[in-house]
Every structure is written in structure tokens, then in C-alpha cells.
Amino acid sequence: MAEMIVVTEENRDDMSRKAGIFLYSETRLWLEDDSVHRADGPALLSPDGVERWYVRGAEVTRAVKAFFAENKWTLRAGLDSDEKRDRFAAQFLG
């Protein structure tokens, strides 16, 4: 299960390396087995509202946006049902 970490000045460099991008303080980042990963939503939420999706350390934001569009789901609603979570898992976690 992924653990949520809040980026601080003290851990920002390490967390930025894990995400592969510069992270601002107060960014929420989900890690599993020391990789950026979240199976039920975006794994990176920045304080300015940017969301990035990661699966096992690989960023999949563009693929997720395309997947949501193909299924006619809004990103705002996220994976808010068992059906959506199951289809997401089959597509990205399979």
C-alpha cells in the first residue's frame, strides 16, 4: 500500500529525485516500495493544483488523461467507483 509523504524543505531534493521533477514544499507524494506510485489516484499533488499520475515509478499522466477521455470520465471525479478502479487497474497495473 502506498504511503503519502508531504514534501518539506528537508526532504525536497530526495523526493524530487524520486519523482524526476522539481517538487515544491507542501507537495503530496505517494510512495510504494520506494517508488512514486498510487493505484487509486494521482501520485503527486502539488500545492498549486497540478496532479501527476505514476505507476511503479513511471509517470503515466498523459496515458491516464487519454484513458479518462476514452471512457468519457472527468478527471475531477477521479476513480470514484469500483468499476473505474477495476478498469484503471486492468489498464495500468495489469
Side-chain angles (χ1 to χ4, degrees):
M1 180 137 161
E3 172 188 8
M4 195 267 291
I5 306 288
V6 176
V7 176
T8 64
E9 291 294 322
E10 292 78 24
N11 69 9
R12 182 172 55 197
D13 289 344
D14 187 41
M15 295 300 113
S16 291
R17 278 192 286 285
K18 289 180 188 305
I21 60 170
F22 177 81
L23 298 177
Y24 294 98
S25 291
E26 302 303 316
T27 296
R28 291 181 289 161
L29 188 69
W30 279 257
L31 299 175
E32 183 173 287
D33 297 328
D34 208 35
S35 292
V36 182
H37 174 82
R38 189 172 173 199
D40 62 351
L44 186 154
L45 299 170
S46 70
D48 61 355
V50 172
E51 298 179 350
R52 292 181 181 247
W53 296 69
Y54 287 76
V55 173
R56 297 182 190 101
E59 186 182 355
V60 294
T61 302
R62 283 186 175 188
V64 168
K65 286 181 178 181
F67 176 73
F68 270 68
E70 289 167 12
N71 287 286
K72 297 181 172 69
W73 301 340
T74 63
L75 279 170
R76 179 177 282 278
L79 299 172
D80 60 353
S81 70
D82 289 338
E83 176 196 1
K84 287 181 179 180
R85 286 186 288 277
D86 291 346
R87 289 174 74 180
F88 179 85
Q91 178 76 25
F92 293 100
L93 305 174

